[in-house]
Amino acid sequence: MDFLGCKPVHSPMVVSSKLLHDDSPLLSDATMFRRIIGKLFYLTITRPDITYAVQQLSQFVGAPTEVHLKAVHRVLRYIKKSPGQGILFSPNPIFQLKGFSDSDWATCPKTRKSVTGYCVFLGDSLVSWKSKKQQTVSRSSSEAEYRALATTSCEIQWLLFLLGDLGIVPSSSSVLFSDSQSALAIAKNPVFHERTKHIGIDCHFVRERIQNGTLKVLYVSSSNQLADFFTKPHAPAVFNMFKSKLGIHSMYDLACGGILKQHVN
């Protein structure tokens, strides 16, 4: 497979795309599809911009179809457009963890399971991110948002343990942002109700971190919810806006910018 001469695209997925298990004929040989997905998984370590697309495509490695292969080809065409894309780590000396948590409720057309997306910053630098389908079906968007909140809280707690092992003490309490007022209300309410009984473990975990001062949960508007980048495909303009806010840049552009700056000085 040779994509050196392919036409680049501005985003890894089409906004209206909904991948299904039986949307087209099965591939006669799925070996190539599986190899590409494995390599793309490795690439997500430094390329958060393809995380959601790879998460979606990886669900079909058992029985990929022709449509799934075309979707993989689009990801490769996107990578060709920006081969030097990567994360820019800021020299900001402030050691505070800031997390963004979001979910796309009942997004899977077959199982109606939701997708959790989160990203965590150390100071101004992106250090952790994930896009993953939730293990159980959520009966409301509030439940899906709260499950995402609990998952992100676990990640922040693990990062705090890691920083502690490295001898780094955070400058202040970690902050977790969500655009769901109902999920935040559940997190801050010390009384359990019938409607939250089935997510009681998640409630206990998040509230314990809030009560001991490890974590603060705050509201953020949907337009500034960076974790939305990991829950659904976006149009190129919105996609590029999210990339910029997450600190994802082209290394070639940064290098040229530095050269030009030195030249001007």
Side-chain angles (χ1 to χ4, degrees):
M1 183 181 296
D2 186 2
F3 272 78
L4 293 178
C6 68
K7 183 179 179 180
V9 292
H10 295 280
S11 61
M13 291 190 74
V14 179
V15 176
S16 59
S17 63
K18 285 290 184 182
L19 299 176
L20 303 172
H21 285 274
D22 53 356
D23 50 6
S24 64
L26 294 174
L27 296 176
S28 57
D29 185 5
T31 303
M32 181 61 70
F33 179 89
R34 292 165 182 160
R35 285 179 178 174
I36 296 175
I37 292 297
K39 293 175 181 179
L40 290 177
F41 257 123
Y42 183 77
L43 191 58
T44 58
I45 297 174
T46 57
R47 294 288 299 262
D49 48 328
I50 64 171
T51 299
Y52 175 76
V54 175
Q55 178 266 328
Q56 287 288 297
L57 290 166
S58 65
Q59 301 176 54
F60 307 102
V61 292
T65 66
E66 295 177 0
V67 169
H68 302 151
L69 185 60
K70 290 181 180 179
V72 168
H73 289 171
R74 181 179 176 88
V75 177
L76 297 179
R77 292 168 60 195
Y78 167 72
I79 293 173
K80 185 199 173 184
K81 179 182 178 297
S82 53
Q85 202 95 270
I87 303 171
L88 177 64
F89 290 102
S90 169
N92 192 332
I94 298 176
F95 290 102
Q96 182 193 27
L97 291 174
K98 295 183 294 183
F100 292 82
S101 167
D102 197 18
S103 72
D104 191 13
W105 181 46
T107 185
C108 180
K110 182 177 180 180
T111 64
R112 309 311 295 179
K113 292 181 179 179
S114 308
V115 171
T116 289
Y118 70 71
C119 55
V120 183
F121 292 80
L122 178 60
D124 296 329
S125 301
L126 181 65
V127 295
S128 179
W129 58 90
K130 178 170 283 191
S131 176
K132 187 176 181 179
K133 184 188 290 186
Q134 295 183 0
Q135 295 182 351
T136 58
V137 178
S138 297
R139 294 185 291 180
S140 67
S141 59
S142 299
E143 181 181 337
E145 292 280 0
Y146 198 86
R147 292 188 188 280
L149 203 69
T151 300
T152 314
S153 299
C154 292
E155 180 66 12
I156 290 176
Q157 182 64 75
W158 181 82
L159 289 171
L160 287 172
F161 288 145
L162 181 60
L163 291 174
D165 291 340
L166 295 174
I168 299 174
V169 179
S171 55
S172 56
S173 299
S174 302
V175 181
L176 178 54
F177 295 96
S178 173
D179 60 358
S180 173
Q181 294 280 18
S182 56
L184 293 177
I186 295 173
K188 295 177 181 179
N189 187 357
V191 180
F192 284 91
H193 298 283
E194 186 69 26
R195 67 180 62 182
T196 61
K197 186 181 294 184
H198 56 292
I199 55 173
I201 295 177
D202 287 339
C203 289
H204 280 297
F205 184 87
V206 177
R207 290 177 190 173
E208 184 179 61
R209 269 74 195 156
I210 295 174
Q211 291 172 359
N212 64 22
T214 302
L215 186 66
K216 293 180 181 178
V217 290
L218 300 174
Y219 175 77
V220 66
S221 63
S222 297
S223 59
N224 293 317
Q225 175 54 276
L226 301 183
D228 188 54
F229 186 71
F230 301 97
T231 62
K232 61 177 73 71
H234 296 87
V238 179
F239 184 82
N240 290 326
M241 179 270 293
F242 274 123
K243 281 202 309 180
S244 177
K245 288 187 176 182
L246 289 168
I248 305 171
H249 301 282
S250 171
M251 300 299 106
Y252 300 122
D253 293 342
L254 291 173
C256 291
I259 293 173
L260 288 175
K261 185 176 180 181
Q262 292 176 5
H263 181 71
V264 171
N265 292 336

